[in-house]
Amino acid sequence: MPSPPSAPTEAIPAPVHLFVLQNGLWGSQNDLAWLADQIVAHQDRRDRFRADTSDRSRSEPAFEVLSTPSNEWIRTYDGVDECGGRLAQAVISRIRDDARGPVSHISFVGYSLGGVIARYAIGVLYAHGYLRRSRSSARNPLPADAAAASETRPRARPDAPEATHFCTFASPHLGSSRDAGTALDAVFNSVGAGLTGRTGAQLLGLDAVAAAPFPLAGDAVRDAPEVWVGGRPMIEVLADPRLPFWIGLSMFATRTVYGNILNDPLVPLATACILPSNPYLDITRSPPGTGGPAPPALLDERLYRVVAAAYPSIVEPNPAFPAADHGDGGKDDDESDGAALRVKPALPPPSLAARLLPAVLPFVAVVGVSALSAVWLAWRVSRSFDIVADADADAAAGPGTSEPDPAAAVAGAARGLAWIEEWAAAAAARRRPRPQPSFSPAAASSSSSRDYACAALDLLAWRRCHVLSSLFRAHASIVRREPGVAGNEDVVLHFLDMVVR
């Protein structure tokens, strides 16, 4: 007698490599639509190549792109912590959704402000056990103080994905404040926060997170005031090697940053690529006839070389013609052949009106724009608090209500950095007795937030990619934010071919 047919077994979803995309200030998901399409196309090319070469020696998870609308337009003004909490909520919701396939690997790709938001979200995910250290990163030794902090890491959840790639395009990792070399720079620093809300204040280093300072955990450092979080700008807090943001970043297999050498006044190369200064430009020198410091629109071809012919936008300093060898050297302009190579072409002397316009025009526009921005932001923030209060009331309403969403709970707790106190208390129970860390936030008292963040982040291994764009809107063309700013598509392709592979 034939046996009855067995019931069909339900197919198990394949593992997923989740690429989390985050847009920038006053942006939307559409800004990264071309980049998302290239990620999917890259997987198709990879799969076809392996099928043609019969290379099935290793199984790779399928790519999936996550781009959330929770941080779009005016919401990006809420602050890095608010935006980062919402991004973490979206990631946790996807990780817990096993029906769409388990997330085995996770990568973050941020554009402009999105790179800073992603760093905050990574800290939240790490602190709550939703991030697993990459096997590749485990082979890279950490500095002594970072290794001590990493001993306090929480136990990763069983469904925590492996941290794979972290990549940013033109992101202000060191903030957006400008050296007050011109009147326009001073105006930018003073009114930028008013026009862009909490986010602008944080990027300009004008904020002070946490109203009441509290020390980090650990008997060896508990009484040291320099390890307090309160009163420090967000740029410093995100870079502190003993906080979850830095530690979570250290768990990734690769960390790659792309920055524009020229034509990007919003995010210059130094802050995008975590450098003390732009190695291609001597900003202390002035182009002939301008009377003030200004970067040239073009770069002498002998100062750089293209890394690979397939990616003509990616360059590096030319070791045969280093920029450092072409400074003044105590010579006059006529005697220094390097000075003529630094600036190309020479700009004509600006008129008096041209000198005054950059200083006067912002003051004329600031009053009206600031008033409108303040009214809009006040309404937006009050509405956000109402939504949070309603959600908390529903969660505490008692029997008959739905179970609170764990992802929403994490996002709500991520606001304002007060959650680090709980994280620090839990870390204290896991910490072994260690001496005072060698890299201390006390350095911030004798240097700027920008210098501190640069030194702290430089403790990690970075792949710094310099982008040379001749387009006026280099900040947009680096990810082809719009079809009209095409010309540097090889930058994203370089990331996919050389980093993701």
Side-chain angles (χ1 to χ4, degrees), residues 247-488:
I247 303 173
L249 201 57
S250 72
M251 302 178 75
F252 283 78
T254 68
R255 288 168 295 273
T256 309
V257 287
Y258 291 82
N260 289 303
I261 299 174
L262 298 172
N263 300 321
D264 191 348
L266 297 176
V267 185
L269 179 68
T271 185
C273 287
I274 313 175
L275 296 169
S277 62
N278 188 330
Y280 301 90
L281 303 177
D282 183 0
I283 60 174
T284 62
R285 289 183 53 80
S286 304
T290 62
L298 298 175
L299 202 63
D300 188 274
E301 292 82 355
R302 285 174 287 183
L303 292 179
Y304 65 89
R305 65 181 183 184
V306 176
V307 174
Y311 315 103
S313 299
I314 309 298
V315 303
E316 63 184 2
N318 185 2
F321 199 83
D325 293 343
H326 298 280
D328 284 339
K331 300 179 181 180
D332 297 332
D333 288 344
D334 295 336
E335 300 174 349
S336 176
D337 56 349
L341 299 172
R342 301 303 292 257
V343 180
K344 173 191 173 182
L347 302 178
S351 62
L352 179 62
R355 292 175 183 268
L356 295 178
L357 186 61
V360 174
L361 187 60
F363 287 107
V364 175
V366 132
V367 176
V369 176
S370 297
L372 292 176
S373 178
V375 172
W376 182 258
L377 287 173
W379 173 83
R380 176 69 184 86
V381 172
S382 64
R383 183 172 178 270
S384 300
F385 283 130
D386 291 340
I387 294 174
V388 173
D390 292 342
D392 293 341
D394 292 340
T401 60
S402 59
E403 182 180 354
D405 181 11
V410 170
R415 296 184 178 95
L417 287 176
W419 58 276
I420 295 185
E421 185 171 14
E422 180 180 351
W423 172 84
R430 297 187 295 268
R431 185 187 295 271
R432 300 174 186 174
R434 306 281 289 192
Q436 175 77 14
S438 58
F439 190 90
S440 170
S445 61
S446 58
S447 62
S448 66
S449 299
R450 180 191 184 96
D451 294 338
Y452 172 83
C454 184
L457 291 174
D458 197 48
L459 296 174
L460 296 168
W462 295 90
R463 183 171 190 167
R464 296 174 169 92
C465 301
H466 307 161
V467 178
L468 183 59
S469 174
S470 60
L471 301 177
F472 177 73
R473 299 178 62 191
H475 188 74
S477 67
I478 196 170
V479 293
R480 196 178 178 180
R481 192 177 67 191
E482 304 164 12
V485 292
N488 298 121

Side-chain angles (χ1 to χ4, degrees), residues 152-188:
T152 68
R153 62 179 179 269
R155 185 181 299 275
R157 295 168 51 90
D159 56 351
E162 180 177 328
T164 309
H165 304 298
F166 175 81
C167 176
T168 63
F169 297 91
S171 293
H173 294 292
L174 307 183
S176 298
S177 62
R178 299 182 180 180
D179 296 331
T182 65
L184 185 59
D185 293 334
V187 172
F188 178 87

Side-chain angles (χ1 to χ4, degrees), residues 46-57:
R46 184 193 67 179
D47 293 344
R48 287 196 303 270
F49 172 79
R50 290 180 178 172
D52 295 340
T53 59
S54 300
D55 182 11
R56 299 182 179 87
S57 58

